[in-house]
Amino acid sequence: MTSKTMAAAPQYTLRIKSWDTDTPPDAKSFAFAPPQGAKSVEFNALADVGEVPAPAEALKE
């Protein structure tokens, strides 16, 4: 949610006031459904990826 290495990085706070802990969540809520065209990437292929992705303008060059 925030980067400690970037100046002025956005930060977020979430306050939960009434959380129903008596009702278990449906397992389907946590099922991953990749979007059409998604590709699997090996974890070690991400070794050179930084904490923050390049701006969209840099990707166009």
Side-chain angles (χ1 to χ4, degrees), residues 3-26:
S3 172
K4 294 182 179 184
T5 61
M6 279 186 62
Q11 296 184 6
Y12 305 90
T13 301
L14 175 66
R15 290 193 174 105
I16 300 173
K17 294 187 177 191
S18 55
W19 188 330
D20 179 6
T21 58
D22 294 327
T23 305
D26 184 0

Side-chain angles (χ1 to χ4, degrees), residues 19-54:
W19 188 330
D20 179 6
T21 58
D22 294 327
T23 305
D26 184 0
K28 290 187 281 184
S29 298
F30 298 96
F32 176 68
Q36 187 172 356
K39 298 176 183 175
S40 178
V41 177
E42 292 295 325
F43 185 73
N44 58 2
L46 303 173
D48 294 330
V49 174
E51 181 179 354
V52 179

